[in-house]
Amino acid sequence: MAWTAVILAAGKGTRMASCKPKALQTLAGRTLVEHIIDKLADVAIDDVVIIHSPEAKKDFEKKIGPNKKITYVEQEQALGTAHALKTALPHVISDNLLVLLGDVPLLSRRIIKKLQKQTLDNDLVVLTGEVKNPSGYGRIIKDSEGKPMAIIEELDCDEAQREIKEINSGIMAFKTNVAKNLVERIKPSLKKNEYYLTDAIEIAYHEGLRTVSYGTTEEEVFGVNSKKDLAEAEKINRKKIAVELMEKGVTVIDPNRIDVRGKLTCGKDVTIDVNTVFIGDVTLGDGVSIAPFTVIANSVIGDETDIHSHSNIEEADIGSKCNIGPFARIRPQTKLEEGAKVGNFVETKKAVIGKGSKVNHLTYIGDAIIGDNTNIGAGTITCNYDGVNKHQTRIGDEVFIGSGVELVAPIEVESGATVGAGSTISKHAPANKLTIERSKQKTIDGWNRPTKKEEN
Ligand code: UD1
Ligand code: CA
């Protein structure tokens, strides 16, 4: 059975008070429409039609990237959800049609599959949600046998209808020819002069078509109309991810204070403390602990490594039993080998820090390769940039670099070398020797400290 999914994303989005189309607002680091497309990847959907406003095509294409399955179709004027679907229909090539809303991003694959299954024996399936507060949603009206008879938009509800807690998710599955037939017959609403797709239910009911509703949770069908809704969607999504992590054995100190904006994979006995953000693909090995206020993007953290608070780690490969932070900034192409330590106010970029080596305080290590068991003193700087080009610093094994050293690259410090504190090293430092560059210390005899002038 072939299926086309149509994503309606051309509305004006007035309630968002934003210049961006609503479906391009960000939830957990990705746009709403990306969340939806992601779900379609692993279900039986053959192609996707996105209905967008005339000016938004480039923005959608840019976010979604090249995808042969997707057709972009412009809705010239936002004349309502039924009009949006009507605009899509000439591009629907499958016998079955799934209508999704660009502002309902939390729908799961499980529910999409259920809707597809229900369509085998029905002409039209509408996904509904049982909610605590139905305001803003269309209400589901059912007959005595529980068959959906109509959907009434809030604006048109009488008092009793307003109390109904079963709402329209806006998501529907059809046989395509049924959708074509119904959409043609929808008339503009009296109050808003818009074509409501919700009217399809009433028409179908009166025609005696096989129409059913399928109910799910409020979380699945949550509609995002405003920034307030967006924050609520973040909350729902955050909780879902935290629960999934905890079910896999991760200790999440506070499920309300962890943000996963991508894919987080964890080993056994991982602990994640509060106010931590994971971006893109992040993997944490067994026994890793992540302290508060840490941000980790697209990185792998090895077993039993401790990340202390306020650390920022991006595109890094961190080995096992390492220690990072507090307040470390690990930038792209950093590799820490087993047992390495990077302490507070240290920045690394394009750097390898060998086994058991320590860079503990106030240091910049860029374009550098450091061997094993080397100690880099506080305040050391690899001067990697000459104003035009970047150059490399190579430091061997068991090196001791004193505090406040500047290493002017390109440069090599050989294994076993010691570099005296305060040196500016611009030439090769040989193995197993002390290299020091420092002007001679002098003491001035008979020097007097200035005294404070008398005020007159
Ligand atoms: C709609 C439903 C309502 C349902 C709710 C679920 C209608 C008339 N109402 O209301 O019953 O409870 O969704 O969240 O269908 N769009 C277009 N072109 C248009 C108008 C809208 O593409 O001309 C798109 C929007 O971008 C949006 C979606 O359709 O992604 C829904 O439109 P919106 O205006 O948000 O409808 P609601 O008032 O939320
Ligand atoms: Ca909406």
Side-chain angles (χ1 to χ4, degrees):
M1 271 214 330
W3 278 88
T4 297
V6 173
I7 304 175
L8 307 184
K12 292 191 274 292
T14 327
R15 289 164 281 182
M16 202 51 87
S18 164
C19 302
K20 268 194 267 177
K22 188 161 49 173
L24 295 182
Q25 298 288 334
T26 305
L27 167 71
R30 283 183 315 157
T31 59
L32 303 185
V33 72
E34 283 174 280
H35 282 271
I36 297 167
I37 288 172
D38 212 39
K39 306 284 165 48
L40 297 178
D42 289 338
V43 293
I45 295 289
D46 301 277
D47 62 317
V48 179
V49 177
I50 298 181
I51 300 295
H52 60 84
S53 60
E55 61 283 359
K57 185 174 185 208
K58 278 210 169 60
D59 297 331
F60 274 98
E61 282 177 339
K62 201 168 139 202
K63 274 291 166 199
I64 294 163
N67 188 331
K68 278 198 220 105
K69 274 189 172 182
I70 298 178
T71 310
Y72 295 92
V73 178
E74 207 170 274
Q75 185 191 12
E76 268 179 38
Q77 261 187 302
L79 297 177
T81 43
H83 181 265
L85 180 58
K86 193 175 170 184
T87 313
L89 284 172
H91 304 271
V92 174
I93 46 173
S94 312
D95 298 339
N96 299 281
L97 166 63
L98 176 67
V99 176
L100 302 169
L101 302 188
D103 62 352
V104 181
L106 298 174
L107 184 71
S108 67
R109 294 185 181 92
R110 188 180 68 88
I111 295 295
I112 295 175
K113 286 181 188 160
K114 292 267 188 214
L115 292 174
Q116 289 181 313
K117 201 159 164 235
Q118 293 273 325
T119 314
L120 290 174
D121 309 318
N122 291 290
D123 296 308
L124 166 50
V125 186
V126 55
L127 180 66
T128 69
E130 197 66 43
V131 305
K132 281 189 254 13
N133 172 13
S135 71
Y137 291 110
R139 312 296 202 274
I140 304 288
I141 314 292
K142 286 182 163 169
D143 69 8
S144 55
E145 285 163 21
K147 218 175 156 196
M149 292 168 69
I151 297 172
I152 314 280
E153 289 304 293
E154 174 144 293
L155 215 60
D156 304 315
C157 282
D158 61 30
E159 239 165 78
Q161 289 166 336
R162 207 161 283 145
E163 292 304 311
I164 296 173
K165 299 280 194 293
E166 185 178 12
I167 59 94
N168 171 32
S169 70
I171 291 161
M172 297 182 193
F174 295 85
K175 298 255 185 329
T176 304
N177 57 7
V178 171
K180 283 186 174 157
N181 167 31
L182 291 173
V183 159
E184 279 306 323
R185 295 163 57 198
I186 293 173
K187 305 254 173 340
S189 72
L190 291 175
K191 284 193 181 141
K192 286 184 91 180
N193 204 29
E194 277 184 13
Y195 297 84
Y196 288 168
L197 185 55
T198 44
D199 287 355
I201 303 294
E202 196 173 344
I203 302 170
Y205 184 79
H206 288 298
E207 290 221 338
L209 296 182
R210 294 172 302 170
T211 308
V212 286
S213 62
Y214 185 82
T216 185
T217 60
E218 178 162 17
E219 284 77 15
E220 288 259 355
V221 298
F222 189 77
V224 178
N225 293 315
S226 63
K227 288 283 161 74
K228 222 172 125 216
D229 294 339
L230 202 52
E232 191 60 34
E234 286 279 4
K235 202 166 151 188
I236 295 168
N237 188 54
R238 184 180 299 125
K239 189 171 156 204
K240 190 171 139 253
I241 292 172
V243 167
E244 282 167 9
L245 287 171
M246 291 187 289
E247 280 169 357
K248 287 185 186 148
V250 177
T251 302
V252 177
I253 301 291
D254 182 353
N256 296 314
R257 287 184 288 167
I258 169 175
D259 272 53
V260 178
R261 301 176 184 161
K263 188 164 175 261
L264 175 62
T265 311
C266 295
K268 293 249 174 323
D269 295 311
V270 167
T271 300
I272 300 175
D273 214 321
V274 300
N275 296 329
T276 41
V277 182
F278 301 89
I279 300 165
D281 272 341
V282 175
T283 302
L284 308 179
D286 294 347
V288 166
S289 102
I290 309 289
F293 300 100
T294 289
V295 179
I296 304 180
N298 297 309
S299 296
V300 175
I301 314 286
D303 295 348
E304 289 168 59
T305 283
D306 282 348
I307 313 288
H308 301 282
S309 72
H310 298 272
S311 294
N312 192 307
I313 300 174
E314 192 187 349
E315 289 173 36
D317 177 2
I318 309 296
S320 57
K321 298 189 170 74
C322 290
N323 258 284
I324 292 182
F327 293 97
R329 181 166 184 220
I330 310 290
R331 294 175 56 205
Q333 296 180 54
T334 295
K335 181 173 165 58
L336 260 60
E337 290 175 351
E338 189 182 331
K341 274 183 86 174
V342 172
N344 43 260
F345 306 107
V346 172
E347 175 179 343
T348 65
K349 163 89 196 289
K350 240 186 180 180
V352 177
I353 298 176
K355 280 188 194 153
S357 288
K358 297 186 178 112
V359 189
N360 274 339
H361 333 266
L362 300 153
T363 289
Y364 172 62
I365 302 290
D367 294 286
I369 298 179
I370 299 175
D372 299 345
N373 300 315
T374 280
N375 190 87
I376 309 287
T380 293
I381 292 170
T382 52
C383 309
N384 60 331
Y385 186 52
D386 61 13
V388 188
N389 296 304
K390 296 269 176 75
H391 303 281
Q392 207 183 40
T393 298
R394 301 180 74 86
I395 300 174
D397 300 336
E398 319 249 340
V399 166
F400 182 91
I401 307 267
S403 298
V405 168
E406 285 152 358
L407 296 158
V408 183
I411 191 143
E412 182 169 6
V413 180
E414 286 183 350
S415 290
T418 299
V419 175
S423 301
T424 298
I425 300 294
S426 53
K427 293 197 235 19
H428 190 93
N432 306 317
K433 290 185 179 164
L434 170 66
T435 299
I436 188 159
E437 189 277 339
R438 201 193 277 165
S439 53
K440 207 172 166 202
Q441 181 170 328
K442 52 189 171 189
T443 301
I444 315 283
D445 286 330
W447 177 83
N448 291 316
R449 238 186 229 184
T451 51
K452 196 157 174 78
K453 278 188 190 153
E454 290 287 322
E455 305 242 343
N456 39 12

